[in-house]
Amino acid sequence: MRSFLFLLGSSRLDGNTETLARHAAAALPPDVRQRWLRLDDHPLPAFRDIRHSGDGVYPVPEGNERLLAEATLDATDLVIVSPLYWYSVSAATKLYLDYWSAWMRVPGYDFKARMAGKTTWAVTTISEEDESVADPLVGTLRRSAEYFGSWGGTLVGYANRPGDILHDTGALERAAAFFGAT
Ligand SMILES: Cc1cc2nc3c(=O)[nH]c(=O)nc-3n(C[C@H](O)[C@H](O)[C@H](O)COP(=O)(O)O)c2cc1C
């Protein structure tokens, strides 16, 4: 059974990016499981690179880190729902991605092999009317996804103030078809 994990990376509630993602999710068949996690509700500590100190092994995660790691491993599909912040993902989203490096090195997680079967998708909103401003965000997410597994694609909407996304009818139409014949 497909199981979609939506990771909300905005630093405000009820933002445009979440609204756009919810439109896309509404088109998923009812037998596809959906889980929604707001990264700000599960803050991660600063990431530490210990790959080359000691044995390079990361401890089994606890607390919020464990919740996010296990949610990631349990999903078949990861949907990164991040507004465009300075041409890239939000800080909370980037921190979550950095932890993929740690989870690859947690004994027993088999993270890299388990990620190989997953598809990662991106949903973003931008306030500049030129979709190419999102190229760095798309590159970051697509390349990271392909490092482990498959890339699903990007859904981009134009919006600035909360609610603006509801006026981007083109984006809402693309949202309805985004996950395709999943
Ligand atoms: C810190 C910050 C940086 C931003 N950087 C950009 C940017 O580089 N390009 C852009 O088009 N919009 C930028 N925006 C605007 C947001 O992408 C836009 O308002 C978006 O709809 C916010 O999504 P949300 O409502 O889901 O939080 C930025 C907003 C913030 C708060």
Side-chain angles (χ1 to χ4, degrees):
M1 198 190 29
R2 298 284 288 275
S3 175
F4 277 60
L5 175 63
F6 293 84
L7 291 155
L8 304 177
S10 177
S11 58
R12 63 184 178 186
L13 297 176
D14 302 322
N16 293 303
T17 323
E18 176 177 348
T19 300
L20 186 58
R22 290 199 182 272
H23 273 76
L28 283 171
D31 62 331
V32 172
R33 209 153 50 98
Q34 295 183 29
R35 185 170 182 192
W36 294 75
L37 292 176
R38 186 178 308 285
L39 291 172
D40 277 359
D41 287 344
H42 310 284
L44 290 163
F47 175 75
R48 300 283 172 226
D49 179 2
I50 59 164
R51 291 172 304 148
H52 305 122
S53 44
D55 55 11
V57 165
Y58 279 78
V60 174
E62 294 175 0
N64 290 338
E65 186 193 342
R66 182 174 185 151
L67 182 142
L68 289 169
E70 291 182 353
T72 301
L73 285 171
D74 285 347
T76 59
D77 293 81
L78 305 170
V79 188
I80 307 294
V81 183
S82 173
L84 190 71
Y85 277 4
W86 299 124
Y87 309 102
S88 190
V89 292
S90 69
T93 304
K94 182 58 166 57
L95 182 58
Y96 162 77
L97 290 177
D98 287 353
Y99 270 85
W100 286 6
S101 171
W103 299 338
M104 281 167 68
R105 296 172 172 86
V106 173
Y109 262 22
D110 212 10
F111 189 78
K112 197 152 193 282
R114 290 169 73 184
M115 286 289 281
K118 303 185 195 302
T119 302
T120 300
W121 311 75
V123 179
T124 190
T125 58
I126 63 181
S127 59
E128 295 172 61
E129 293 213 4
D130 171 2
E131 199 168 317
S132 72
V133 294
D135 286 354
L137 174 146
V138 176
T140 295
L141 294 175
R142 181 175 58 78
R143 285 177 184 273
S144 303
E146 289 174 350
Y147 179 83
F148 288 97
S150 305
W151 175 238
T154 317
L155 173 64
V156 182
Y158 299 102
N160 194 17
R161 301 178 66 84
D164 279 354
I165 191 63
L166 297 173
H167 303 298
D168 186 350
T169 50
L172 299 181
E173 274 171 29
R174 289 194 299 279
F178 184 50
F179 295 123
T182 298

